[in-house]
Amino acid sequence: VFFGVGGTGVGLFNNNNNGGSGGSSTNPITAGLKSARRRVQLQPKNAAAWANLTKTIYTDASSGSNYDETNHQFTPSGIAELRQADTAFQRYLALNPKKVDASIVTLMVQAYDQTGLNEPKKASAALEALTQTQPTRNNYMLLSIAAFQAQDTHLSDLAEQKAVDLTPGKANQKSIKTYIDQQKAAGISSQQ
């Protein structure tokens, strides 16, 4: 079963809402999507190809009529594309890349935000994958905040402590802890 869609890949590889192949397009995003989709078809175990497809779909989802600039949220068509980006991203992560692409994680954390797919657990999982391959203080800080928003207080506390441990100097450690706690509190107030 390919992508859980009866083995057809419907939706992910067909750019025009399953309306057939159609003619060539001069839209550079469409051309980029076709190229990225073709690459993962030819190289299904190539993590870089899946990362590129994720980025290309996300870029398309966040442009034009897919994103409502006035209300700062994705439209239904943008949400549909974000779901495709999520599918590609999950395939990317399933390939266990040696070093997770931070730029792709950043995009997907935005996709998982309340204005998009509203899936805080997936945002936390994406940041956890990033942190496992790039265990920096900043990544642990982001993971702590995302895990808290996903209601995983255990992971949040562990990531916060690791961020503090990676920070030199007691004063700096206190500042990092304060910053993380403020971000957690801000996240609670924005969810209400």
Side-chain angles (χ1 to χ4, degrees):
V1 176
F2 189 64
F3 293 108
V5 191
T8 65
V10 171
L12 185 61
F13 293 113
N14 191 342
N15 184 11
N16 57 358
N17 296 327
N18 305 319
S21 61
S24 63
S25 173
T26 57
N27 182 339
I29 293 175
T30 301
L33 277 172
K34 286 180 182 180
S35 174
R37 287 180 172 131
R38 186 173 27 255
R39 187 170 172 209
V40 297
Q41 283 179 320
L42 295 172
Q43 302 172 356
K45 294 185 179 186
N46 182 337
W50 287 104
N52 182 54
L53 179 59
T54 302
K55 181 179 181 181
T56 305
I57 295 171
Y58 178 87
T59 300
D60 190 47
S62 61
S63 65
S65 63
N66 293 324
Y67 188 78
D68 180 352
E69 292 284 341
T70 304
N71 295 315
H72 304 288
Q73 63 185 18
F74 289 90
T75 65
S77 62
I79 296 290
E81 289 202 50
L82 289 180
R83 290 190 200 297
Q84 292 179 23
D86 175 44
T87 300
F89 181 65
Q90 296 306 320
R91 285 293 301 258
Y92 166 73
L93 289 178
L95 291 170
N96 294 317
K98 290 182 186 199
K99 186 173 182 182
V100 174
D101 185 329
S103 67
I104 301 302
V105 170
T106 300
L107 294 178
M108 291 312 298
V109 167
Q110 292 171 5
Y112 298 137
D113 186 67
Q114 291 174 321
T115 63
L117 296 174
N118 194 23
E119 296 193 33
K121 289 183 180 183
K122 284 190 174 181
S124 178
L127 285 165
E128 186 173 12
L130 174 65
T131 303
Q132 288 173 353
T133 64
Q134 298 175 42
T136 66
R137 178 190 67 198
N138 288 343
N139 287 344
Y140 278 111
M141 289 170 55
L142 293 171
L143 176 57
S144 177
I145 296 162
F148 183 81
Q149 292 171 345
Q151 300 178 348
D152 186 344
T153 55
H154 179 69
L155 178 59
S156 177
D157 292 345
L158 289 174
E160 180 176 338
Q161 187 57 54
K162 191 68 175 171
V164 169
D165 292 346
L166 290 171
T167 305
K170 292 286 185 193
N172 291 336
Q173 289 177 342
K174 185 175 181 181
S175 294
I176 291 297
K177 184 163 179 30
T178 300
Y179 173 79
I180 293 171
D181 291 342
Q182 288 171 342
Q183 294 305 306
K184 289 177 183 180
I188 290 172
S189 65
S190 72
Q191 292 175 359
Q192 296 175 349

